[in-house]
Amino acid sequence: MIRAIALLLLLALVATLPAHAQSAIHRCIGTDGRPVFSDQPCASVGATSVLPAPAGSAPTRSDGAPSTGLLCAKDLTELREGLAQAFAARSANRVGGLILWNGYGSSGAVDNLRLMEALVRQPLVSLEGNEGAGIDAVTSAPGGDGGTRRMHFGVVRDSGCLWLRPPG
């Protein structure tokens, strides 16, 4: 009986190991205002967390100065504008700054950022969709034949902000 209980406890411990082995991805804003992604807490890399500050406190940068407050999209218009600006700048990191990375390990995030890098190289034709259905980034297909490609992003509300989910 004791052996069975010990075996069950050991199995329970082993089952939790993959969850602990996967490091969290911290979404931060660097002192230059650019998104920073790290497996370390934002403060330890000299950046500010993008998660909203507790109610009643004013957001601040890592140097203690007040921030602009634009750490995440408060509505669908801001989310679309941020995505359009990321395409205009051809910046996969800017797209990454709009994504809620919860549940993604570092390798999953890296793979998705590589996908974003290829995506933002294509000219953006339109952004279609809404909060419930998600947003499709419609781009010109390579080759200039007039075709288009679609990349679907889910949209989720978390911590008072709207975020994209990585394409599935």
Side-chain angles (χ1 to χ4, degrees):
M1 179 73 156
I2 294 175
R3 193 177 261 182
I5 292 173
L7 182 60
L8 285 173
L9 288 174
L10 181 62
L11 286 173
L13 177 64
V14 169
T16 63
L17 286 178
H20 292 292
Q22 183 180 21
S23 60
I25 297 174
H26 298 270
R27 293 176 29 89
C28 316
I29 299 293
T31 55
D32 60 357
R34 293 182 183 211
V36 175
F37 301 96
S38 175
D39 61 349
Q40 302 295 315
C42 298
S44 70
V45 295
T48 303
S49 175
V50 299
L51 293 178
S57 64
T60 59
R61 298 186 322 213
S62 59
D63 62 1
S67 77
T68 62
L70 187 56
L71 298 177
C72 64
K74 301 296 183 205
D75 57 37
L76 192 62
T77 300
E78 283 185 14
L79 188 61
R80 283 177 181 267
E81 287 174 6
L83 192 53
Q85 290 171 0
F87 271 90
R90 297 191 186 277
S91 174
N93 283 332
R94 278 191 173 179
V95 176
L98 300 171
I99 292 177
L100 182 64
W101 292 104
N102 295 358
Y104 287 81
S106 58
S107 66
V110 169
D111 291 343
N112 274 296
L113 284 172
R114 286 186 181 132
L115 178 65
M116 296 307 117
E117 188 65 40
L119 179 66
V120 297
R121 288 186 190 142
Q122 305 304 315
L124 181 65
V125 175
S126 66
L127 294 171
E128 301 172 358
N130 56 50
E131 184 176 342
I135 296 176
D136 286 343
V138 181
T139 59
S140 295
D145 62 1
T148 60
R149 290 181 141 172
R150 288 181 175 271
M151 183 69 67
H152 181 76
F153 295 90
V155 175
V156 295
R157 188 171 290 278
D158 188 89
S159 300
C161 301
L162 280 182
W163 305 97
L164 299 173
R165 290 301 284 173

